[in-house]
Amino acid sequence: MNLQVTESDVLLGKSLAELTTWMEERGQPAYRGKQLYQWLYQKGARSLGEISVFPKQFRESVSDYPIGRSNIHFRAVAPDKTRKYLLQLQDGLIIEAVGIPTSKRLTVCVSSQVGCPMDCDFCATGKGGFTRNLKAYEIVDQVLTVQNDFGERVSNVVYMGMGEPLINLEQVIKSVKLLNQDVGIGQRSLTISTVGIPNKIRELAEQKLQITFAVSLHASNQTLREQLIPSAKHYSLQQLLAECREYVQITGRRVTFEYILLAGVNDNPENARELVKHLRGFQTHVNLIPYNPISEVDYQRPDGQRIKQFQDILQQNKIAVTVRYSRGLSADAACGQLRASRR
Ligand code: SAH
């Protein structure tokens, strides 16, 4: 660990032009910049020493240079093949990333912060507090690490790991551009999920990205939402939905609403009907997430019949709806279970 190195020195996160300059400053021809770029973003090089196309002497002289990759501190594999990683950053802090394979896709769930300041009642990440925002390169690193570990190209990235992406919007947007332009993942295959931060949804919309955008709604009225999500006290459901409508207008893309289902709390047919009222005429899609248990609180997951009933009410009202049965449950890698421990 070299604490002298500042973020601007780290190679991952730099553009092709910046990498070319970096090589030229070290007496290397410009085309070596392109090679460095390809090895960093395509081959996922973890050190300059392994870039075998570089002259041996040069390679040796820069082999210790920090390129911005984390170390896999711990890895757990669930029976459904989902892999949860604890990654150690350069400053020693630990974050989580999850690799979720299906027959056609490899999805990575990335963290945007170390910990999370939102403290939603049902989520494990918030229970551990908040430490710092991640830099864009630290988000890209998670994708490259999972890609490398599976030996397979990542097709989708969801910003649904630790943290609230819209509090770290600048670095999150930078990472979206890096993943899209430099790693080569389509914007529509990148999903940002937020609990909603005042004015930030508009700011994201103004970027006019083609990403998939999801909002963690979780409640059908303001009182219930405040009970589950402390920050909702400063951001009314009405304001949140108004900003989401603006998002649709500005980007021409629909908004996905995530709705966690907690038995006896927000899963009543009445809640479903209330939700329908809010979403009528909205270009949207609802993703129901049956609660994944965490140890700190005693919420319950509703049974299948109850979930189906909620889903049916939305469907009958012409609202597109899917149920997300989270992967990786037994490895504590499912939605809301991420915390930097290896229980
Ligand atoms: N802060 C962002 C990103 C986290 S995404 C956001 O709130 O959207 C993770 C998703 O999993 C969110 O929709 C979150 O509310 C949901 N989630 C949190 N805890 C959960 C739990 N115990 N069971 C199921 N889903 C949970």
Side-chain angles (χ1 to χ4, degrees):
M1 201 189 314
N2 183 350
L3 294 175
Q4 247 82 67
V5 171
T6 64
E7 186 235 332
S8 61
D9 295 324
V10 167
L11 295 180
L12 194 64
K14 286 194 196 298
S15 65
L16 173 58
E18 287 167 336
L19 291 172
T20 303
T21 306
W22 190 85
M23 287 302 268
E24 285 175 336
E25 281 168 1
R26 281 157 186 79
Q28 296 295 315
Y31 73 90
R32 296 263 182 233
K34 182 81 185 280
Q35 290 177 327
L36 176 56
Y37 175 81
Q38 284 166 340
W39 278 73
L40 282 181
Y41 293 106
Q42 301 304 316
K43 294 188 193 264
R46 304 185 52 81
S47 77
L48 292 177
E50 72 185 63
I51 305 186
S52 55
V53 290
F54 286 170
K56 189 152 179 274
Q57 207 184 352
F58 172 70
R59 228 159 67 204
E60 280 166 5
S61 70
V62 292
S63 65
D64 288 340
Y65 194 90
I67 65 174
R69 298 300 308 272
S70 65
N71 288 311
I72 298 181
H73 178 69
F74 177 73
R75 190 187 83 165
V77 182
D80 67 9
K81 305 273 194 285
T82 294
R83 298 183 194 173
K84 176 173 97 162
Y85 304 84
L86 296 186
L87 303 179
Q88 185 158 40
L89 306 172
Q90 266 178 319
D91 60 3
L93 293 173
I94 304 269
I95 52 165
E96 292 206 6
V98 183
I100 310 156
T102 57
S103 58
K104 293 193 202 90
R105 295 204 285 228
L106 176 57
T107 299
V108 182
C109 178
V110 294
S111 294
S112 57
Q113 299 183 311
V114 184
C116 184
M118 304 313 292
D119 201 21
C120 299
D121 204 36
F122 45 80
C123 179
T125 305
K127 309 285 175 203
F130 169 68
T131 309
R132 70 166 172 89
N133 283 331
L134 291 183
K135 294 291 180 187
Y137 78 87
E138 292 172 317
I139 298 175
V140 173
D141 162 75
Q142 297 172 55
V143 175
L144 295 175
T145 298
V146 176
Q147 181 157 281
N148 201 256
D149 190 56
F150 274 84
E152 192 184 317
R153 279 198 74 83
V154 167
S155 58
N156 297 70
V157 175
V158 296
Y159 289 70
M160 298 188 185
M162 303 170 98
E164 171 42 55
L166 293 204
I167 299 181
N168 187 18
L169 191 54
E170 193 188 316
Q171 294 298 314
V172 162
I173 290 170
K174 189 173 175 205
S175 72
V176 162
K177 293 181 177 164
L178 288 163
L179 289 173
N180 179 229
Q181 291 161 19
D182 304 310
V183 180
I185 303 171
Q187 282 198 15
R188 286 166 194 242
S189 306
L190 304 173
T191 302
I192 292 184
S193 175
T194 179
V195 72
I197 305 292
N199 301 319
K200 290 288 174 186
I201 294 179
R202 188 177 307 113
E203 206 177 311
L204 175 63
E206 280 159 4
Q207 293 288 319
K208 299 221 170 76
L209 298 170
Q210 292 296 298
I211 56 161
T212 301
F213 181 55
V215 173
S216 293
L217 203 60
H218 302 331
S220 58
N221 61 61
Q222 178 65 14
T223 312
L224 188 54
R225 199 161 191 270
E226 283 183 22
Q227 191 185 317
L228 300 174
I229 303 169
S231 66
K233 291 184 188 71
H234 313 289
Y235 195 28
S236 72
L237 192 56
Q238 223 178 352
Q239 271 177 295
L240 169 63
L241 292 170
E243 249 187 277
C244 291
R245 287 200 169 82
E246 270 185 67
Y247 187 92
V248 176
Q249 266 172 4
I250 296 174
T251 62
R253 306 270 303 153
R254 72 178 185 183
V255 174
T256 297
F257 287 107
E258 294 158 288
Y259 192 103
I260 188 172
L261 286 170
L262 305 163
V265 177
N266 67 355
D267 69 335
N268 300 299
E270 191 42 46
N271 295 118
R273 285 190 280 272
E274 223 173 9
L275 189 58
V276 166
K277 278 194 208 137
H278 290 302
L279 302 185
R280 214 163 249 147
F282 209 118
Q283 210 180 323
T284 185
H285 171 253
V286 173
N287 202 191
L288 300 173
I289 318 173
Y291 170 67
N292 299 316
I294 63 167
S295 56
E296 290 89 344
V297 283
D298 63 356
Y299 290 120
Q300 302 298 321
R301 171 185 282 208
D303 63 30
Q305 202 189 342
R306 190 83 164 170
I307 296 169
K308 172 100 180 30
Q309 188 182 26
F310 201 98
Q311 188 180 10
D312 285 347
I313 295 173
L314 297 186
Q315 251 155 8
Q316 284 153 12
N317 286 280
K318 312 234 171 334
I319 292 174
V321 54
T322 46
V323 182
R324 182 199 299 168
Y325 282 100
S326 299
R327 306 272 307 270
L329 259 186
S330 66
D332 270 347
C335 303
Q337 295 185 312
L338 302 187
R339 69 179 98 219
S341 78
R342 41 153 115 183
R343 286 191 313 137

